[in-house]
Amino acid sequence: MAAPTERKAVIVVDDVHVEYKVLATGKRASAADGSGLLQRSRRTRTVHALKGVSFTAYENDSIGIIGSNGSGKSTLMRAIVGLTPTSQGAIYAASRPAMLGVGAALITDLSGERNIILGGLALGFTLEEIEGRVDDIIEFSGIRDFIELPMRTYSSGMTARLKFAIATAKDHEILIVDEALAVGDRNFRNRSEARIREIRDNAGTVFLVSHSMQSIRDSCNRVIWINKGELMMDGDPEEVITAYDETNQ
């Protein structure tokens, strides 16, 4: 996709391949799995999760990542963050990407409020700064009535909403949001989509991985479609989503 020359490139994905071996059970193979007589008879197969993916992301981009389950979307995002090594090709980033997923770690025995403090400190806020943002984060998450309870008492939706509220309290230069908008009611989704646009407008770059085409349309100015590890299309949200829908009818 062409980009205006005045915008700065913040992520370059250059011919990226990701391959890994899995056991016949579906579990990823490790060095330990190759030792011992019983282990040697186990069969492994190679999964080619990404196949030569290339694109450039620019500041002020909000990029939707779409594709069916198992298409390689999450593998691509984990490679951009550095959690999954590339087998071939390279990824260049102007700053360290931050990844927000519903699996992000919080301490379940502590209250939501205490987790806000700890999460804010982990994001680089001072104690005074995060304490000044606590009320706004609680309000954004919509769980004020439960904020003093241990997080183990929260539903998965409440937990995901609080994680999103904590992570987006900071303006990130590069933020990856993986399915976090799939939780909560319409009001929460509206607030979340508005927050993503705000981060983007402040010269940030946001990747949104979602199965909700409406969230993609509302939040993104560009869409990348991944299918079986290959980049199928990169461009205007309506054009890419229409093409994607036509192949999945």
Side-chain angles (χ1 to χ4, degrees):
M1 177 181 176
T5 56
E6 65 269 17
R7 288 203 297 160
K8 182 180 73 172
V10 295
I11 292 277
V12 176
V13 177
D14 182 18
D15 190 31
V16 165
H17 293 253
V18 171
E19 298 181 37
Y20 54 85
K21 294 186 182 298
V22 295
L23 300 175
T25 59
K27 175 186 173 185
R28 228 182 242 215
S30 66
D33 292 318
S35 61
L37 293 174
L38 293 177
Q39 303 292 343
R40 289 173 190 163
S41 64
R42 287 190 181 182
R43 293 188 178 183
T44 63
R45 64 186 181 92
T46 299
V47 174
H48 202 162
L50 293 177
K51 305 171 184 176
V53 174
S54 296
F55 64 87
T56 301
Y58 299 85
E59 63 181 7
N60 298 115
D61 265 345
S62 182
I63 304 173
I65 308 293
I66 64 174
S68 58
N69 288 332
S71 61
K73 304 185 302 297
S74 293
T75 299
L76 174 60
M77 296 301 100
R78 289 175 62 84
I80 289 174
V81 175
L83 296 174
T84 295
T86 61
S87 306
Q88 180 181 321
I91 298 173
Y92 307 95
S95 62
R96 185 175 180 84
M99 186 170 186
L100 167 65
V102 294
L106 293 178
I107 302 175
T108 58
D109 285 336
L110 297 182
S111 69
E113 186 170 7
R114 295 302 300 167
N115 272 288
I116 291 173
I117 299 294
L118 292 175
L121 294 173
L123 286 171
F125 289 119
T126 66
L127 182 58
E128 184 178 7
E129 286 171 337
I130 191 60
E131 285 178 341
R133 287 170 167 80
V134 166
D135 200 59
D136 288 341
I137 293 171
I138 294 170
E139 189 65 28
F140 189 102
S141 69
I143 59 171
R144 184 174 295 278
D145 291 343
F146 305 91
I147 202 65
E148 294 181 359
L149 296 177
M151 284 200 62
R152 55 183 156 75
T153 65
Y154 290 10
S155 68
S156 59
M158 291 165 60
T159 300
R161 278 149 52 197
L162 184 59
K163 288 174 182 176
F164 183 91
I166 294 170
T168 58
K170 181 177 181 179
D171 281 335
H172 300 272
E173 290 186 37
I174 304 169
L175 177 64
I176 296 171
V177 182
D178 194 348
E179 289 292 359
L181 302 191
V183 300
D185 56 19
R186 185 67 241 174
N187 287 334
F188 179 77
R189 289 196 293 275
N190 286 340
R191 294 197 300 275
S192 301
E193 289 159 6
R195 181 65 184 125
I196 285 178
R197 290 192 293 271
E198 183 182 339
I199 291 172
R200 180 190 72 199
D201 292 344
N202 288 335
T205 302
V206 181
F207 293 88
L208 173 60
V209 182
S210 180
H211 289 288
S212 169
M213 295 303 113
Q214 194 56 52
S215 288
I216 295 285
R217 286 185 175 99
D218 291 343
S219 307
C220 301
N221 66 329
R222 176 180 171 189
V223 171
I224 289 175
W225 169 20
I226 303 290
N227 183 51
K228 296 180 180 178
E230 297 181 352
L231 194 155
M232 303 297 293
M233 198 170 176
D234 174 4
D236 175 77
E238 204 56 53
E239 292 179 7
V240 179
I241 290 171
T242 297
Y244 171 74
D245 286 341
E246 286 175 351
T247 65
N248 286 277
Q249 288 179 350

